[in-house]
Amino acid sequence: MNNQKFSTKQIAINFGFLLAGYNVITGLMLFFLDMHYQNNSTVGLVNLAVIAAVIIYGITQFKKFNDGFIKLSEALKTGLGIALISGIVSAIYSIVLITFIDPDFIDKMLEFQKETMLEKNPNMSVENANKMVDMQRKFSGPMITSAFIIIFNLFFGFVISLIVGLIVKKSKPE
């Protein structure tokens, strides 16, 4: 078997930056298609599937590179490391997008959400929609958005890592 052991840190860094690259490329594609503020559910589901797949693959690669053995704690460290690195890079991209690339991002997103609310709820008044948008605006700055990105990545990464870790864990015989 393989004599060289890989650490959770090495795997987390490699796969974290791989996932971050995917997130940034996807974000730029959505920007160039002028869809980056629409929160498309299909795009969101595909992104969740890719995040899960990269974390699962990273954990299984750690197990493979370590003679087929992995502890639950190693699976959690690997998955959370991947999610953290990806989340930090994605948060930085979000700050750059909102601050420099598209300074009108927040306004576009809130206007799109208001139009969507009014379409789905024809009985809602424009005043009520405006009040909801004003409340959302308070939680829509680049730093708050970035914090949510990191928190969501860590939460989703933890859940996926825990499930996969419980499935693939295998202790070394003593």
Side-chain angles (χ1 to χ4, degrees), residues 1 19-20 22 41 63 69 78 101 106 111 132 141 153 157 174:
M1 289 227 161
L19 184 55
Y22 164 81
S41 59
K63 181 179 178 181
F69 299 106
T78 302
I101 298 173
I106 301 290
E111 185 61 31
M132 292 178 84
N153 270 12
E174 296 195 29

Side-chain angles (χ1 to χ4, degrees), residues 28 38 45 61 65 76 90 119 141 144 166-167:
L28 288 171
Q38 295 179 4
L45 290 174
Q61 286 301 297
F65 292 140
L76 286 170
S90 297
E119 283 176 18
I144 292 173
L166 288 170
I167 293 170

